[in-house]
Amino acid sequence: DNAINARVVTQMLERLGHDSHVVENGDEVLACWRDGYDLLLLDCQMPVRDGYATARAIRAAEATDGGHLPIVALTANAMQEERERCLAAGM
């Protein structure tokens, strides 16, 4: 949701030996999600297209084309309702 949080997550992944790719919004995610990624960390409050709509679009495409990319929601909302909303979107 901002450059500082993106950098923190990127550095955490790098320390664990992983490469990462940061994009600015859900439309950019949809443009590149099939490029060979093993995991998608998806901010729920992205601009342009939020994480919920992005996850639903990916799951709809997978239902037609096959495959399954694991999607992990990133959100500061720690309420049970938020968990249910993420799961319902396919995260």
Side-chain angles (χ1 to χ4, degrees), residues 17-61:
H18 301 287
D19 294 325
S20 63
H21 176 201
V22 177
V23 298
E24 298 293 321
N25 61 63
D27 285 351
E28 291 181 20
V29 172
L30 293 179
C32 68
W33 70 275
R34 293 184 188 257
D35 291 346
Y37 297 103
D38 298 320
L39 175 69
L40 177 60
L41 301 177
L42 193 57
D43 184 359
C44 293
Q45 272 72 46
M46 289 184 296
V48 182
R49 181 189 303 256
D50 68 22
Y52 310 104
T54 303
R56 285 190 298 270
I58 290 170
R59 294 301 181 228

